Amino acid sequence: MAFKTLDTNEQLAACKALINGAACDGSSGEMLEVVCPSDGKPFATIPRCTGADVGRAVTAARQAYEAQSWAKLTAAERGRILLGLSNLIAENQDNLAAIESRDTGKPLTQGRADVAAAIRYFEFYGGAADKISGETLPVADGYLAMTLREPHGVVGAVIPWNYPTQIFSRVAGAALAMGNALVIKPAEHACLSVLRVAELAHEAGLPKGILNVVTGFGDEVGAALAHHPGIDFITFTGSPQVGTTIQAAAARNHIGCTLELGGKSPQILFEDADLDKALPTVRNAIIQNGGQTCSAGSRVLVQETIYEEVVERLRNKFRALVAGPHDQDLDIGPLINAAQARRVAAFCERAKNERIPLIAEGTIAPDTPEAGFYTTPKLFGPVPMTSSLAQEEIFGPVLAVIPFKDEEEAIRIANDTPYGLVAGVWTRDGARAIRVARRVRSGQVFINAYGAGGGVELPFGGVKKSGHGREKGFEALREFSVLKTVIINHG
Ligand code: NAP
Ligand code: MG
């Protein structure tokens, strides 16, 4: 199959969508080119599916679901198939990592880490499948009341290009463990690893129709899926703008949705922080995946008394950063596409016009292909909270340094954006760490640590414009299920 050559090769590999267990082209017959961000060259094609293909996929999912081919298995049997998939991903780790890196431009080390996370997702949810249950409830004498935790039915999922393997595995692991059928629309800029893992899922024994992958454009295939009356729940990861349209479509169909949107996550450095530990983490949290991470630590709030020292030390770190092709495995790869590179450049240009000082900038490796979508990592500061650098999600390797006076001001600044996804607090004062953690409005808070996206066990999601609902951990099993209350009069 096309995937075997994707990591190495010369000729354009023709990839297929996956509907009802069969690899297929879209009904339009058109193919879209898949471009490697490192050199701007096409290396594969994917079908441009249409609304009609979404319809076929939803019908296949519905039939498979109603036939009980998946939900009728015991939870333990479903879990075993997911564990089998985890093992198959592990056997194919090198190939999958190479595909992911070439498709997204991320350095190979990051590609491997993403596949390791996928292995872990299916391991976790394979093990969790038979460990989630309902409750019995204390009610009036003569009655027995209980809750059953049941699948929604057919789940629709729309996911972005930044971590396709990971985000697919996070969604599919939990949704499938609960017994749902799934129709997923990956981003057209990065869907190859998703197609490959979905193929492996069938090798692992997933019944046909339970997992369908429809490729193509967001405003065509994604919108058709979100609006389809045949889905029972939808989960979306991506931008707040598209998230709004997904939620509106869900409202029209009276179904639930989870939205995992962006962030402008702060790391707060108090004067008593252990800077030797904090600063490498601050740097990594913004350069991981070229800053194209929803939970990127894109603001660092620094107490005035240590501002000069922190800026000096970060300046040296940023100057040493090098961007280059994915297979050179440097600090960062290219951005995903030309539009994203332009978007990041526009933010930096605006910062320049607003006279926000550029403290330091990394470099691009020599002999890097000119047609790739590269940008240098940048450190700006002091950044006023009114500027777009402090307020908007850039989705690039750009860190804003923002000074603060005291704890109260740190909390105010941390909360002063529309987002609330992740925060980091660095201090040796335990009581302060807890006070700040409790007052920061965000879905996750790290104390003396920061793990952009890490930890499959940890419920993850946002507040405010970062979205609602939780992925990961047992919480995701609750999101991908619905409670039925059964009341028995036994006299
Ligand atoms: P995006 O434009 O919102 O795209 C996300 C997905 O939605 C893609 O599959 C896209 O398809 C699809 N889409 C686009 N227009 C659509 C429409 N009208 N109806 C239905 N689906 C549609 O976001 P992106 O630019 O790819 O990703 C960057 C954004 O995602 C950032 O804001 C980032 O913070 C956020 N993000 C959040 C998380 C999280 O977990 N919280 C994780 C990753 C990314 P096409 O791309 O094929 O058009
Ligand atoms: Mg790509």
Side-chain angles (χ1 to χ4, degrees):
M1 169 66 187
F3 294 109
K4 297 268 174 337
T5 57
L6 270 175
D7 52 342
T8 47
N9 198 344
E10 304 75 53
Q11 90 246 21
L12 235 50
C15 300
K16 306 270 189 195
L18 187 73
I19 299 177
N20 204 20
C24 60
D25 289 324
S27 54
S28 74
E30 265 181 70
M31 302 299 278
L32 305 175
E33 280 185 343
V34 176
V35 167
C36 174
S38 294
D39 59 13
K41 288 194 188 135
F43 66 101
T45 59
I46 50 166
R48 174 184 174 177
C49 293
T50 63
D53 302 310
V54 170
R56 282 199 298 135
V58 172
T59 302
R62 173 64 57 200
Q63 283 170 353
Y65 181 76
E66 298 294 341
Q68 299 260 300
S69 61
W70 183 236
K72 83 159 182 235
L73 298 182
T74 64
E77 286 168 330
R78 285 200 303 274
R80 248 173 249 133
I81 290 177
L82 297 180
L83 286 173
L85 172 55
S86 175
N87 292 335
L88 279 178
I89 298 172
E91 279 168 31
N92 288 275
Q93 182 163 13
D94 288 345
N95 177 255
L96 275 165
I99 292 171
E100 187 79 326
S101 288
R102 193 172 184 192
D103 199 4
T104 60
K106 63 182 72 189
L108 266 171
T109 300
Q110 182 67 47
R112 280 202 197 93
D114 290 5
V115 179
I119 294 167
R120 185 70 191 110
Y121 274 117
F122 287 108
E123 181 185 53
F124 179 87
Y125 286 113
D130 61 354
K131 291 166 194 70
I132 180 135
S133 58
E135 298 177 318
T136 52
L137 307 164
V139 283
D141 197 28
Y143 286 87
L144 172 65
M146 66 185 128
T147 55
L148 305 179
R149 195 164 277 288
E150 299 185 337
H152 289 291
V154 177
V155 170
V158 179
I159 65 169
W161 41 256
N162 56 349
Y163 291 91
T165 314
Q166 278 208 47
I167 296 176
F168 166 76
S169 304
R170 156 179 118 185
V171 167
L176 296 176
M178 267 325 302
N180 296 284
L182 191 59
V183 178
I184 189 155
K185 189 276 191 239
E188 93 246 13
H189 292 288
C191 61
L192 303 183
S193 59
V194 173
L195 292 168
R196 177 64 179 135
V197 176
E199 194 179 66
L200 292 175
H202 288 84
E203 264 178 52
L206 196 75
K208 67 177 186 159
I210 291 296
L211 171 60
N212 306 275
V213 186
V214 192
T215 55
F217 293 124
D219 54 5
E220 188 170 25
V221 175
L225 179 58
H227 286 87
H228 201 291
I231 59 171
D232 301 303
F233 187 82
I234 186 153
T235 179
F236 172 77
T237 301
S239 62
Q241 295 78 354
V242 177
T244 303
T245 71
I246 299 278
Q247 183 153 9
R252 273 193 289 276
N253 281 331
H254 301 287
I255 60 170
C257 70
T258 52
L259 300 180
E260 299 284 359
L261 309 175
K264 193 71 193 175
S265 298
Q267 298 215 54
I268 308 172
L269 265 55
F270 285 98
E271 59 191 358
D272 62 349
D274 180 343
L275 293 182
D276 291 340
K277 290 214 176 97
L279 295 181
T281 307
V282 166
R283 182 201 62 173
N284 293 347
I286 187 62
I287 64 159
Q288 178 181 321
N289 211 36
Q292 304 166 114
T293 304
C294 50
S295 51
S298 53
R299 294 185 292 153
V300 57
L301 281 42
V302 184
Q303 194 152 20
E304 277 172 0
T305 42
I306 55 166
Y307 186 81
E308 288 310 323
E309 182 190 355
V310 167
V311 162
E312 190 51 36
R313 290 174 69 172
L314 283 178
R315 175 187 284 126
N316 293 333
K317 288 190 187 305
F318 269 69
R319 278 189 182 151
L321 292 170
V322 185
H326 64 281
D327 47 5
Q328 288 189 23
D329 209 16
L330 303 170
D331 300 309
I332 69 167
L335 299 177
I336 189 75
N337 54 34
Q340 190 65 17
R342 279 195 301 273
R343 182 181 141 85
V344 173
F347 273 106
C348 297
E349 194 55 34
R350 205 176 330 160
K352 210 169 109 191
N353 295 339
E354 290 171 10
R355 300 186 188 285
I356 299 174
L358 175 64
I359 299 168
E361 185 172 5
T363 54
I364 294 174
D367 302 327
T368 292
E370 270 187 25
F373 312 123
Y374 297 93
T375 185
T376 52
K378 293 180 187 65
L379 181 69
F380 283 96
V383 174
M385 276 309 290
T386 48
S387 71
S388 55
L389 272 197
Q391 292 291 329
E392 291 180 47
E393 181 173 54
I394 298 172
F395 235 48
V398 181
L399 178 61
V401 194
I402 302 167
F404 69 85
K405 274 196 200 53
D406 54 18
E407 188 177 316
E408 205 52 38
E409 192 180 34
I411 294 166
R412 188 178 56 68
I413 294 174
N415 289 337
D416 185 22
T417 78
Y419 293 100
L421 194 56
V422 180
V425 186
W426 295 87
T427 174
R428 288 186 170 96
D429 178 341
R432 170 156 66 193
I434 293 166
R435 280 196 304 274
V436 175
R438 294 185 79 148
R439 289 182 61 198
V440 166
R441 290 199 65 201
S442 75
Q444 283 189 341
V445 184
F446 286 87
I447 295 174
N448 294 327
Y450 194 91
V456 313
E457 311 83 354
L458 308 174
F460 178 75
V463 297
K464 304 197 284 182
K465 200 174 168 181
S466 292
H468 53 77
R470 292 293 177 266
E471 304 270 0
K472 303 191 179 185
F474 268 70
E475 268 323 293
L477 296 171
R478 297 190 185 100
E479 296 281 1
F480 286 119
S481 62
V482 62
L483 278 186
K484 178 184 281 170
T485 308
V486 179
I487 305 105
I488 305 159
N489 178 350
H490 56 70

Short mmCIF file of all heavy atoms in Angstrom, two decimals, residues 233 257-260 421 459-463 466-471 475 479:
data_model
loop_
_atom_site.label_atom_id
_atom_site.label_comp_id
_atom_site.label_asym_id
_atom_site.label_seq_id
_atom_site.Cartn_x
_atom_site.Cartn_y
_atom_site.Cartn_z
N PHE A 233 -23.11 12.97 18.20
CA PHE A 233 -22.21 13.77 19.05
C PHE A 233 -21.08 14.22 18.14
O PHE A 233 -20.76 13.55 17.17
CB PHE A 233 -21.64 12.90 20.18
CG PHE A 233 -20.85 13.66 21.21
CD1 PHE A 233 -21.48 14.33 22.25
CD2 PHE A 233 -19.45 13.72 21.14
CE1 PHE A 233 -20.75 15.04 23.20
CE2 PHE A 233 -18.71 14.42 22.08
CZ PHE A 233 -19.37 15.07 23.11
N CYS A 257 -21.49 18.54 22.02
CA CYS A 257 -20.17 18.66 21.37
C CYS A 257 -19.11 19.02 22.39
O CYS A 257 -19.41 19.59 23.44
CB CYS A 257 -20.20 19.70 20.24
SG CYS A 257 -20.36 21.40 20.79
N THR A 258 -17.87 18.62 22.09
CA THR A 258 -16.74 19.14 22.85
C THR A 258 -15.90 19.96 21.90
O THR A 258 -15.74 19.60 20.72
CB THR A 258 -15.86 18.02 23.45
OG1 THR A 258 -15.50 17.12 22.40
CG2 THR A 258 -16.59 17.24 24.51
N LEU A 259 -15.40 21.06 22.41
CA LEU A 259 -14.55 21.94 21.60
C LEU A 259 -13.21 22.10 22.29
O LEU A 259 -13.15 22.54 23.44
CB LEU A 259 -15.20 23.33 21.46
CG LEU A 259 -16.58 23.43 20.80
CD1 LEU A 259 -17.03 24.88 20.76
CD2 LEU A 259 -16.57 22.84 19.39
N GLU A 260 -12.15 21.72 21.60
CA GLU A 260 -10.79 21.95 22.09
C GLU A 260 -10.21 23.02 21.19
O GLU A 260 -9.84 22.74 20.05
CB GLU A 260 -9.94 20.68 21.97
CG GLU A 260 -10.45 19.52 22.78
CD GLU A 260 -10.16 19.65 24.26
OE1 GLU A 260 -9.53 20.65 24.66
OE2 GLU A 260 -10.59 18.76 25.01
N LEU A 421 -6.42 27.73 28.71
CA LEU A 421 -6.17 26.31 28.44
C LEU A 421 -5.21 25.70 29.48
O LEU A 421 -5.56 24.80 30.21
CB LEU A 421 -5.64 26.13 27.02
CG LEU A 421 -5.64 24.71 26.46
CD1 LEU A 421 -7.03 24.09 26.50
CD2 LEU A 421 -5.09 24.67 25.04
N PRO A 459 -7.04 14.83 32.44
CA PRO A 459 -8.12 15.51 31.71
C PRO A 459 -7.61 16.83 31.15
O PRO A 459 -6.87 17.56 31.83
CB PRO A 459 -9.17 15.73 32.80
CG PRO A 459 -8.92 14.65 33.79
CD PRO A 459 -7.44 14.44 33.78
N PHE A 460 -8.00 17.10 29.91
CA PHE A 460 -7.43 18.24 29.18
C PHE A 460 -8.53 18.96 28.43
O PHE A 460 -9.37 18.34 27.77
CB PHE A 460 -6.38 17.72 28.21
CG PHE A 460 -5.76 18.78 27.35
CD1 PHE A 460 -4.83 19.67 27.89
CD2 PHE A 460 -6.10 18.90 26.02
CE1 PHE A 460 -4.26 20.66 27.10
CE2 PHE A 460 -5.54 19.88 25.21
CZ PHE A 460 -4.61 20.77 25.76
N GLY A 461 -8.51 20.28 28.51
CA GLY A 461 -9.50 21.08 27.79
C GLY A 461 -9.50 22.48 28.39
O GLY A 461 -8.76 22.76 29.33
N GLY A 462 -10.35 23.34 27.85
CA GLY A 462 -10.25 24.73 28.23
C GLY A 462 -11.43 25.30 28.95
O GLY A 462 -12.43 24.62 29.21
N VAL A 463 -11.28 26.58 29.29
CA VAL A 463 -12.39 27.42 29.71
C VAL A 463 -12.34 28.63 28.78
O VAL A 463 -11.41 28.81 28.02
CB VAL A 463 -12.28 27.86 31.19
CG1 VAL A 463 -12.35 26.65 32.11
CG2 VAL A 463 -10.99 28.65 31.46
N SER A 466 -11.06 28.96 24.98
CA SER A 466 -10.31 27.72 24.72
C SER A 466 -11.23 26.52 24.55
O SER A 466 -10.77 25.43 24.20
CB SER A 466 -9.31 27.46 25.85
OG SER A 466 -8.30 28.44 25.83
N GLY A 467 -12.52 26.70 24.81
CA GLY A 467 -13.46 25.62 24.53
C GLY A 467 -14.07 25.03 25.78
O GLY A 467 -13.94 25.56 26.88
N HIS A 468 -14.75 23.89 25.58
CA HIS A 468 -15.38 23.22 26.72
C HIS A 468 -15.44 21.73 26.45
O HIS A 468 -15.33 21.27 25.31
CB HIS A 468 -16.77 23.79 26.98
CG HIS A 468 -17.66 23.78 25.77
ND1 HIS A 468 -18.27 22.65 25.29
CD2 HIS A 468 -18.00 24.78 24.92
CE1 HIS A 468 -18.97 22.95 24.22
NE2 HIS A 468 -18.82 24.24 23.96
N GLY A 469 -15.63 21.00 27.55
CA GLY A 469 -15.56 19.54 27.47
C GLY A 469 -14.12 19.11 27.74
O GLY A 469 -13.20 19.94 27.69
N ARG A 470 -13.94 17.86 28.07
CA ARG A 470 -12.60 17.37 28.40
C ARG A 470 -12.25 16.15 27.57
O ARG A 470 -13.07 15.24 27.40
CB ARG A 470 -12.51 17.02 29.89
CG ARG A 470 -12.59 18.25 30.81
CD ARG A 470 -11.37 19.15 30.64
NE ARG A 470 -11.43 20.37 31.45
CZ ARG A 470 -11.89 21.55 31.00
NH1 ARG A 470 -12.35 21.67 29.76
NH2 ARG A 470 -11.88 22.61 31.78
N GLU A 471 -11.01 16.16 27.08
CA GLU A 471 -10.45 14.98 26.41
C GLU A 471 -9.48 14.35 27.41
O GLU A 471 -9.18 14.93 28.44
CB GLU A 471 -9.66 15.40 25.16
CG GLU A 471 -10.46 16.21 24.16
CD GLU A 471 -11.20 15.38 23.12
OE1 GLU A 471 -11.10 14.14 23.16
OE2 GLU A 471 -11.87 15.99 22.27
N GLU A 475 -12.14 11.17 32.00
CA GLU A 475 -13.13 12.19 31.64
C GLU A 475 -13.60 12.01 30.21
O GLU A 475 -14.77 12.22 29.90
CB GLU A 475 -12.53 13.59 31.78
CG GLU A 475 -12.71 14.27 33.10
CD GLU A 475 -14.05 14.04 33.78
OE1 GLU A 475 -15.09 14.49 33.28
OE2 GLU A 475 -14.04 13.40 34.84
N GLU A 479 -17.31 11.90 28.40
CA GLU A 479 -17.77 12.77 27.30
C GLU A 479 -18.34 11.93 26.14
O GLU A 479 -19.31 12.33 25.51
CB GLU A 479 -16.63 13.64 26.76
CG GLU A 479 -16.06 14.63 27.75
CD GLU A 479 -16.90 15.89 27.92
OE1 GLU A 479 -17.96 16.02 27.28
OE2 GLU A 479 -16.48 16.74 28.71
#
